[in-house]
Amino acid sequence: MTGPIELLVNPIYLPDQAELVYQPLIDYLREVTGLDLRLATVRNFHRYWLEARRDDAAPLILEDSHMAAWRMNNHGYTPLVTTQRPITFSLLASNASMEPSLDEFVGKRVSTLPSPSLGFLILSSWYDNPLQQPVILSNASSWLDAVEIVFSMEADAAIVPRGIAEKYPNLVTVATSEELPGMTLSAGPGVPESVRQALVEAMSVLHENPDHHAALFELDVDRFVQADPADYTDLDRWLNNIFAL
């Protein structure tokens, strides 16, 4: 590989905010590995998915596990590291019954990030009857924004990842998904083994480096561990009901 190596992040933040969140990680990896890494962002999920379908993506990608699985099965990417703690998504509401159920939110507004975000796909999987679904508002600019939309009373509930859900104990948890591998760094087939190994080693010890605590803090991650590709074999099933692959 010659020249800078792009590391693409999925668009769970607007590009300007993504630079603030992910640049500390890029700075750490550049310092520790000596690789000339450059942060790459896309402006929305539509562009993100379009580039994925065209296999027109960066050689390194940090994204949710269902997309890492899809790239592994379709374009030869390899999961390198993932978060030590698995991820779940929960439906949170400000007003619900004492024992809330998913049926209570049929016809009500639920805020989420656009498809193919994992939260959107999990929410959709909970409502298999097209005539008995919530009104899905895929207008949030981040998972935190999805909660803020509930507080502004523009939505009745929001689906958010575990890290966000734990910050709002005052909201009612309606349902929580199964555990899935968390954010995953994958390498494309053209990335040399030496680069892959350097990234795995650097990411695996990031939590031990107090000078780069911001890299984990901004991502709301405790630590990264080496990923097992076997854990990703069928995770792209989450895309089956949304897109014709």
Side-chain angles (χ1 to χ4, degrees):
M1 302 182 73
T2 59
I5 306 172
E6 286 194 330
L7 194 161
L8 174 68
V9 293
N10 63 339
I12 59 173
Y13 300 102
L14 296 174
D16 288 348
Q17 188 178 3
E19 291 186 12
L20 297 174
V21 171
Y22 293 103
Q23 192 60 48
L25 176 63
I26 299 295
D27 294 341
Y28 165 77
L29 292 174
R30 293 184 68 174
E31 177 181 317
V32 172
T33 66
L35 297 170
D36 187 9
L37 298 176
R38 302 290 174 86
L39 179 66
T41 62
V42 289
R43 64 179 180 269
N44 54 44
F45 271 97
H46 174 73
R47 174 60 58 182
Y48 167 76
W49 178 243
L50 184 63
E51 292 180 358
R53 290 290 299 272
R54 292 173 176 171
D55 193 20
D56 181 24
L60 299 172
I61 305 178
L62 186 62
E63 61 188 348
D64 285 332
S65 56
H66 69 306
M67 285 298 299
W70 184 83
R71 294 186 202 271
M72 181 180 75
N73 292 333
N74 290 275
H75 297 300
Y77 279 71
T78 301
L80 300 181
V81 297
T82 185
T83 58
Q84 181 184 45
R85 190 184 191 194
I87 195 171
T88 61
F89 278 81
S90 296
L91 183 64
L92 303 182
S94 57
N95 294 298
S97 61
M98 293 297 293
E99 296 182 3
S101 68
L102 290 170
D103 290 342
E104 186 174 335
F105 293 88
V106 170
K108 293 188 177 180
R109 303 162 300 171
V110 178
S111 180
T112 178
L113 287 177
S115 181
S117 71
L118 188 53
F120 183 103
L121 301 180
I122 288 173
L123 176 64
S124 299
S125 74
W126 287 338
Y127 295 92
D128 54 4
N129 184 345
L131 300 179
Q132 296 289 318
Q133 293 187 341
V135 177
I136 299 179
L137 305 178
S138 56
N139 58 346
S141 60
S142 68
W143 293 121
L144 181 60
D145 185 45
V147 176
E148 294 299 326
I149 289 174
V150 174
F151 286 137
S152 67
M153 295 186 291
E154 297 174 41
D156 302 293
I159 186 163
V160 296
R162 176 172 7 208
I164 298 294
E166 291 175 343
K167 291 178 170 64
Y168 293 94
N170 54 318
L171 295 178
V172 178
T173 300
V174 180
T176 298
S177 73
E178 64 183 277
E179 288 190 337
L180 297 166
M183 186 191 315
T184 300
L185 176 66
S186 297
V191 177
E193 181 60 30
S194 59
V195 173
R196 298 182 186 206
Q197 190 58 37
L199 290 169
V200 170
E201 292 175 0
M203 296 281 279
S204 298
V205 299
L206 172 55
H207 64 286
E208 300 174 358
N209 192 320
D211 294 335
H212 290 277
H213 173 72
L216 289 175
F217 178 79
E218 292 293 345
L219 297 175
D220 197 19
V221 170
D222 292 329
R223 65 178 293 185
F224 287 96
V225 296
Q226 186 163 4
D228 182 354
D231 294 338
Y232 294 78
T233 302
D234 67 343
L235 291 185
D236 56 354
R237 71 184 186 276
W238 288 101
L239 294 156
N240 290 345
N241 294 330
I242 305 298
F243 298 106
L245 300 179

